[in-house]
Amino acid sequence: MDDPGPSSAYYARFPSTSTGPTRPPSPSSPRPSTSPLTPEDGLYTLLNIPRSASEAEIRDSYRHLATTYHPDRQRDDTHRSTAHRQFTEIQRAYEVLTDSTRRTIYDLFGEEGLKTSWEVGPRVKTARELREHFSRQYHDKKIMEAEALVKPKGDISVVLDARAVFANRNLFRTPDAMRHDPIARASRVRPGQIMMKHSFEMPVRERTQVVVTGQMVSRGGGGGGNVVGTVRHQFGSRVWGEAGCSVLAPRVVTTKGTYTIDEYTYLSINTMQQTFAAPPTYTAQLGRRIYPNTTGFIIYRSGFWTLGPWGKSMPSNSITNALLNETSAMSVGVTTARPSGSGWTVETQAGVVANHISADYSWRFWGLKWKVGGAVGTDTGINGFVDGEGKVGGQSRVGCMVSLALGGGVTMRWRFSRMGQRITLPILLSPDLNPYVVLGSTVLPFTIYAAAYHFLLLPRKRRRIADRIKDLRSEHADHLAQKRQEALEAQDLMARPVAQKVAVEREKGGLIIISAQYGLAPAFTDRGVRVSRTSAKRSEGEGDGRIEEEVEEEVVVDVTLPVQGLVVDSRLHIPGGRGKHNLLGFWDPCIGEAKKLRVRYLFRDRMHEVTLDDTAALRAPVQAHALSS
């Protein structure tokens, strides 16, 4: 049985690989495309305003809070001292967010940015210029570290021919002279093509990198290798390109470039010069975002072509013969990628020889990213695949793809990757669609993984999360206790002005918060709210006199006063996109866990109730919140 090698034509043409749908190509560059620090919302939450708030909105919120927390408005020295601490934080948030320079720094780099000394320059810069200025300064601070980095990438692919393992004994010339037990069959696995590739990147300037790639292919006792040098350059925010050439014969010259026309549209062109006896083949791709998560694309492949006399008379060799067989084709497709990890791709191709239609769908399930797809065409035949990939540890990923091809058999492809290093093991299982091989390579692994996920991986993940939450609480115990005390003090300060506000709202039939509870998401049920849970067993005493008791932990807190304090003119608005534990009078009773807020309020003498996730926005009153009488 000869080794045909891996059937890679289908995967090369398929518009959506196992790692995700087609996307605009982007260069590898040490310059961060976004801020390397996670933006913070603490100051915005403190003032209960969105990140897009205008200066007038910031000022209105500050004045509203100042009426409650200004020290001069308190009734005794104890309350004045408490109010001073709260008012100092409110005033600082107001000063930072009304200063365009400091606000830009905070939006980009958070609290750490406010602690850093920046060379601001002229204060007449626009907000956009300030963002670019600070991003440039941050990059300059990190450029020395970026230049010292070498980004190595390794790729090893070993094709294993296991067709003889599952082949019927009648296919062998002397079946009676051979052993057919499981051990003997397993020993029939033979290595086929071996491919090794290694590259490393060296930044030579701020926007320029040199990539050196070594390649080696071995098959049937023979093989070869080459070294490819590539120069990448970022010409601007919209244009980048690269050019590469192999060092040894056969010399191949390649170029790639992408131009971002606008925030929705891009154009990418790749060329390959395999012989100077003919013009280079090229591929042009035009993509445009047509919906928030959907991109349409058109791909044109030139194949072999001539330019006047250039290309009409070519010497006969393996390279030119392969080039002559390349034909032009055009593809049109649509791809969707949602934030949840699900998505789909549909593509159709028409060409002189290659014509096909393909589709795939991906989603997340049981801790893995799954993808199924298929294609029908003159070049691909009838193909299908199922793929699953997930994390193993922090930096490692493992994936497995099983492809089925009518007339092409069954192939299983394992992938192992970690820190830029990847190992691929394509295993040729069967030359035809053997039903036993198909079931054994799809249903059996799926069943094994399902059992392992439910009885091993999921419990292990839950224990790891529980241990992490326990460590977080232990590590931040003092901070959480301080935040709780500050929240209670803030509630004490707002008790009197909130009572006055309630009296005004009640007189005009406005918005009155009956109850507001905030805490652990599973504690909120249709029957009510479970305000505590058993967290651990505490032991006291020694020996026979030891007493063990279950400790009740507070997981839902009363935030009725703080929520009522946010009501202005019978309206309540809490912006979304961030947790609510930083609101004045709130604290986090269950750090590291999902939380919800349930608010029951009275408006126009009718009861309303709403329960929402921690990061969801809240607006009240809303007709949909009304309870049936």
Side-chain angles (χ1 to χ4, degrees):
M1 302 179 67
D2 296 331
D3 178 11
S7 177
S8 59
Y10 170 68
Y11 301 105
R13 293 185 176 91
F14 204 69
S16 182
T17 65
S18 61
T19 58
T22 301
R23 291 186 179 279
S26 58
S28 175
S29 171
R31 177 183 290 277
S33 58
T34 58
S35 173
L37 300 176
T38 302
E40 297 180 9
D41 279 351
L43 299 184
Y44 291 96
T45 306
L46 191 67
L47 298 181
N48 191 39
I49 54 176
R51 291 179 65 88
S52 59
S54 64
E55 187 171 340
E57 291 174 321
I58 297 172
R59 189 178 296 107
D60 290 343
S61 177
Y62 170 73
R63 289 173 177 172
H64 173 71
L65 293 173
T67 60
T68 300
Y69 295 99
H70 199 287
D72 294 341
R73 294 177 176 268
Q74 309 309 315
R75 58 182 180 272
D76 53 49
D77 291 340
T78 301
H79 286 81
R80 274 191 285 273
S81 176
T82 302
H84 176 74
R85 292 195 298 271
Q86 299 286 352
F87 185 73
T88 300
E89 295 184 12
I90 296 170
Q91 192 171 33
R92 176 178 177 270
Y94 171 75
E95 291 173 353
V96 169
L97 298 183
T98 53
D99 185 315
S100 60
T101 301
R102 298 175 70 188
R103 182 176 180 179
T104 299
I105 296 174
Y106 180 76
D107 288 346
L108 286 172
F109 308 110
E111 289 287 351
E112 289 299 321
L114 296 176
K115 299 175 184 177
T116 304
S117 176
W118 302 91
E119 298 177 6
V120 177
R123 296 185 60 87
V124 295
K125 293 180 181 288
T126 65
R128 180 178 179 180
E129 291 172 337
L130 284 170
R131 285 180 177 272
E132 295 176 351
H133 180 79
F134 291 123
S135 295
R136 200 161 45 244
Q137 285 203 31
Y138 182 87
H139 174 71
D140 292 339
K141 290 175 182 290
K142 297 297 182 180
I143 190 63
M144 296 301 294
E145 299 177 12
E147 289 180 346
L149 292 178
V150 176
K151 300 178 181 178
K153 293 183 180 180
D155 197 341
I156 300 175
S157 177
V158 180
V159 179
L160 300 178
D161 186 357
R163 292 172 297 176
V165 175
F166 306 100
N168 191 294
R169 58 183 295 166
N170 297 330
L171 296 178
F172 298 94
R173 295 181 179 178
T174 57
D176 296 333
M178 302 173 60
R179 293 172 52 195
H180 298 280
D181 57 90
I183 295 178
R185 283 182 173 270
S187 65
R188 297 173 187 168
V189 177
R190 295 288 183 269
Q193 176 177 286
I194 300 176
M195 185 277 292
M196 298 183 67
K197 182 179 179 181
H198 184 77
S199 67
F200 61 91
E201 178 180 314
M202 299 177 296
V204 293
R205 296 184 64 185
E206 179 181 342
R207 296 187 176 187
T208 306
Q209 299 89 39
V210 173
V211 182
V212 179
T213 305
Q215 305 176 25
M216 185 278 292
V217 178
S218 175
R219 178 177 176 182
N226 213 328
V227 177
V228 179
T230 303
V231 178
R232 295 174 178 167
H233 184 71
Q234 184 87 32
F235 295 95
S237 60
R238 293 188 175 187
V239 183
W240 73 270
E242 67 175 46
C245 179
S246 57
V247 176
L248 305 176
R251 287 185 175 84
V252 178
V253 179
T254 61
T255 63
K256 297 180 181 180
T258 293
Y259 173 56
T260 303
I261 301 173
D262 53 41
E263 59 178 322
Y264 303 107
T265 312
Y266 69 92
L267 174 65
S268 177
I269 298 178
N270 302 344
T271 69
M272 178 179 292
Q273 183 79 57
Q274 301 182 59
T275 174
F276 290 100
T281 60
Y282 63 89
T283 300
Q285 177 175 340
L286 176 66
R288 181 171 177 81
R289 192 175 69 180
I290 52 182
Y291 295 107
N293 299 316
T294 304
T295 300
F297 58 89
I298 300 175
I299 303 174
Y300 175 74
R301 300 174 179 87
S302 69
F304 173 76
W305 60 291
T306 60
L307 182 61
W310 192 16
K312 289 187 176 180
S313 58
M314 295 178 58
S316 178
N317 55 52
S318 59
I319 295 178
T320 56
N321 289 338
L323 182 61
L324 288 170
N325 289 328
E326 294 188 21
T327 58
S328 62
M330 177 174 285
S331 302
V332 179
V334 178
T335 181
T336 293
R338 302 183 182 90
S340 62
S342 64
W344 51 266
T345 299
V346 176
E347 184 242 11
T348 180
Q349 175 175 297
V352 178
V353 175
N355 301 273
H356 70 254
I357 181 170
S358 58
D360 71 76
Y361 178 75
S362 61
W363 72 101
R364 294 190 180 275
F365 182 60
W366 286 352
L368 295 180
K369 182 177 181 179
W370 299 89
K371 178 176 286 189
V372 295
V376 179
T378 57
D379 56 332
T380 61
I382 301 177
N383 293 276
F385 76 88
V386 58
D387 179 85
E389 184 180 59
K391 286 186 177 181
V392 180
Q395 301 293 334
S396 301
R397 301 187 71 88
V398 176
C400 180
M401 174 188 289
V402 178
S403 62
L404 314 173
L406 189 62
V410 182
T411 302
M412 177 179 286
R413 184 174 300 225
W414 286 93
R415 305 183 304 275
F416 308 89
S417 61
R418 176 178 173 83
M419 301 290 289
Q421 311 304 309
R422 183 174 61 181
I423 298 176
T424 306
L425 295 176
I427 305 174
L428 308 176
L429 298 178
S430 175
D432 53 22
L433 294 181
N434 187 315
Y436 298 103
V437 176
V438 173
L439 291 175
S441 60
T442 56
V443 177
L444 183 60
F446 178 81
T447 304
I448 294 174
Y449 176 77
Y453 179 80
H454 284 287
F455 299 108
L456 179 63
L457 299 178
L458 189 57
R460 180 181 173 185
K461 180 180 179 181
R462 288 172 176 170
R463 288 194 301 268
R464 187 167 62 248
I465 293 175
D467 292 341
R468 177 57 180 158
I469 292 174
K470 184 178 179 181
D471 292 341
L472 280 174
R473 290 176 180 169
S474 176
E475 181 181 353
H476 300 284
D478 294 340
H479 175 73
L480 293 174
Q482 179 184 351
K483 295 297 291 183
R484 181 179 184 275
Q485 182 61 32
E486 291 176 355
L488 292 175
E489 291 176 352
Q491 291 189 19
D492 185 42
L493 289 174
M494 64 179 69
R496 188 174 62 173
V498 165
Q500 296 172 353
K501 180 178 293 187
V502 169
V504 173
E505 293 289 335
R506 192 181 301 279
E507 184 177 348
K508 64 180 181 179
L511 181 60
I512 301 173
I513 307 299
I514 303 300
S515 66
Q517 295 168 299
Y518 175 72
L520 186 68
F524 292 86
T525 66
D526 294 337
R527 297 182 177 181
V529 180
R530 187 175 66 251
V531 298
S532 64
R533 69 179 176 189
T534 302
S535 61
K537 288 187 176 181
R538 182 174 61 190
S539 300
E540 295 182 356
E542 297 181 357
D544 296 337
R546 177 176 296 177
I547 300 175
E548 289 190 352
E549 62 175 348
E550 293 182 342
V551 180
E552 292 291 330
E553 180 184 37
E554 184 182 33
V555 293
V556 176
V557 296
D558 187 350
V559 290
T560 305
L561 274 173
V563 174
Q564 182 70 66
L566 297 175
V567 175
V568 179
D569 294 330
S570 299
R571 288 181 176 84
L572 171 63
H573 177 218
I574 301 178
R578 68 260 183 143
K580 297 176 175 55
H581 55 274
N582 281 327
L583 288 168
L584 287 170
F586 280 62
W587 74 93
D588 193 342
C590 47
I591 184 172
E593 299 184 74
K595 290 172 279 290
K596 287 188 176 184
L597 172 67
R598 175 171 292 179
V599 179
R600 176 170 285 219
Y601 61 91
L602 198 65
F603 182 73
R604 297 289 188 263
D605 297 326
R606 187 174 181 183
M607 192 65 68
H608 298 67
E609 184 177 280
V610 58
T611 303
L612 62 153
D613 293 332
D614 191 18
T615 58
L618 172 61
R619 287 186 179 274
V622 174
Q623 179 64 32
H625 300 166
L627 299 177
S628 57
S629 56

